[in-house]
Amino acid sequence: TADYYSVKNAAEARAVLEQSGKVAAVFQGHQHVNAHKMIGGIHYCTLPAMVDGPPPDNSAYGVLEIYPEGHMHLRGYRLMATTQLG
């Protein structure tokens, strides 16, 4: 669904990603929130800002673990949420 931070042609962009059959996840920022949606078989993760105030408490970072079976695990630190993908 479109919102203030979505690109105007979001549906068209998602269609290109879906038709490729090669995209498992999209990581995006700008909204400064932790969010995860599965749309058309692709994980869409919105990540908080790396720095959103005085460090260290207002920082966000993570490590993406990719497993041979195809699932992914985003291990978040500080303000970034830990998320299981797939």
Side-chain angles (χ1 to χ4, degrees), residues 17-84:
L17 298 175
E18 291 170 17
Q19 289 170 6
S20 78
K22 298 177 189 251
V23 179
V26 173
F27 298 91
Q28 55 206 9
H30 191 69
Q31 209 168 4
H32 295 226
V33 298
N34 288 292
H36 173 242
K37 292 181 182 178
M38 177 73 112
I39 304 172
I42 298 174
H43 296 276
Y44 289 87
C45 297
T46 303
L47 308 175
M50 289 182 68
V51 178
D52 201 13
D57 294 334
N58 295 296
S59 61
Y61 52 95
V63 175
L64 180 64
E65 300 167 345
I66 303 172
Y67 297 93
E69 313 82 53
H71 71 275
M72 297 171 280
H73 185 251
L74 177 59
R75 188 176 309 278
Y77 297 93
R78 301 228 184 249
L79 297 178
M80 185 174 292
T82 293
T83 307
Q84 186 67 38

